[in-house]
Amino acid sequence: MRWFSAAGLRGAIIGGVAASLLGKPRLTKDIDVVIMDADPEDLLDSAADFGFVPRIPDAMEFARTTRMLLLRYTEGNIDVDLSLGALPFENEVIERSSLIDVGAGLRIRIASPEDIVVMKAVAGRGRDVMDIENILGANPNLDIERVRRWVREFASVLDMPEIHDDLEKLLRSRP
């Protein structure tokens, strides 16, 4: 978060860390972040001042082709996956994110529960389904229509109707 503030970066933590804070704690091996309006070279330059280094030899080329900058925080040897956001949804994720206190005076910016559910529904792995169930259980007042709208849109664009169908099954099984 210090790096983001110092470099003027617009970003939010997503993935397993966010799901753990919004649902039920679980182990995760890395930190996933979405950042808007950032050039990978500028990111890499500013990251070095805060202890972040590339974790693959061709990090710049990889970032240009995949829109993912793979870093490692050297102090804790923690992998960080920076998604270089470009979609309107990703911009909304950051706009809707909020700072939360995680203890010891540390505040981090995480995506909303609704937006994490959308991203987890699109990913659709076993642990993502578990995260969705835990977030739904811990956040009874979610804006389900927002979740449905974005999941429908992603399912349509990706030509994967099962993404929406799987989400609806999870929503029907809610207590």
Side-chain angles (χ1 to χ4, degrees):
M1 294 292 97
R2 288 187 304 272
W3 169 34
F4 286 10
S5 292
L9 298 173
R10 292 181 51 235
I13 293 176
I14 57 175
V17 170
S20 291
L21 292 168
L22 296 169
K24 186 186 234 179
R26 71 164 174 87
L27 291 177
T28 184
K29 63 180 179 159
D30 62 8
I31 299 172
D32 300 297
V33 181
V34 62
I35 293 182
M36 293 299 291
D37 309 318
D39 174 74
E41 282 187 45
D42 293 341
L43 282 172
L44 203 51
D45 289 342
S46 66
D49 295 335
F50 293 88
F52 295 89
V53 297
R55 68 175 201 256
I56 58 173
D58 57 347
M60 280 295 104
E61 183 58 31
F62 186 81
R64 285 188 192 96
T65 58
T66 65
R67 304 207 44 82
M68 290 292 296
L69 182 59
L70 305 178
L71 301 176
R72 179 162 291 129
Y73 181 59
T74 55
E75 188 175 318
N77 204 31
I78 300 167
D79 290 346
V80 179
D81 296 348
L82 291 179
S83 173
L84 306 175
L87 301 173
F89 173 75
E90 293 164 317
N91 192 55
E92 282 187 28
V93 167
I94 293 167
E95 287 177 6
R96 291 169 38 82
S97 68
S98 59
L99 283 170
I100 65 164
D101 185 356
V102 293
L106 179 62
R107 291 171 48 90
I108 62 173
R109 179 165 297 283
I110 66 168
S112 72
E114 292 89 351
D115 295 337
I116 297 298
V117 169
V118 171
M119 289 183 269
K120 294 287 186 176
V122 172
R125 300 164 298 192
R127 69 177 168 252
D128 297 313
V129 171
M130 179 188 68
D131 286 340
I132 291 170
E133 291 170 338
N134 291 334
I135 291 170
L136 291 173
N139 298 274
N141 298 319
L142 287 181
D143 181 353
I144 295 298
E145 290 314 308
R146 174 183 172 73
V147 172
R148 282 184 166 125
R149 177 174 52 88
W150 277 111
V151 169
R152 270 193 307 269
E153 189 161 326
F154 280 115
S156 175
V157 167
L158 296 169
D159 195 24
M160 296 176 68
E162 64 273 14
I163 293 171
H164 179 260
D165 298 342
D166 292 345
L167 173 70
E168 288 300 323
K169 287 177 194 165
L170 285 171
L171 292 175
R172 281 193 300 272
S173 68
R174 281 173 82 178

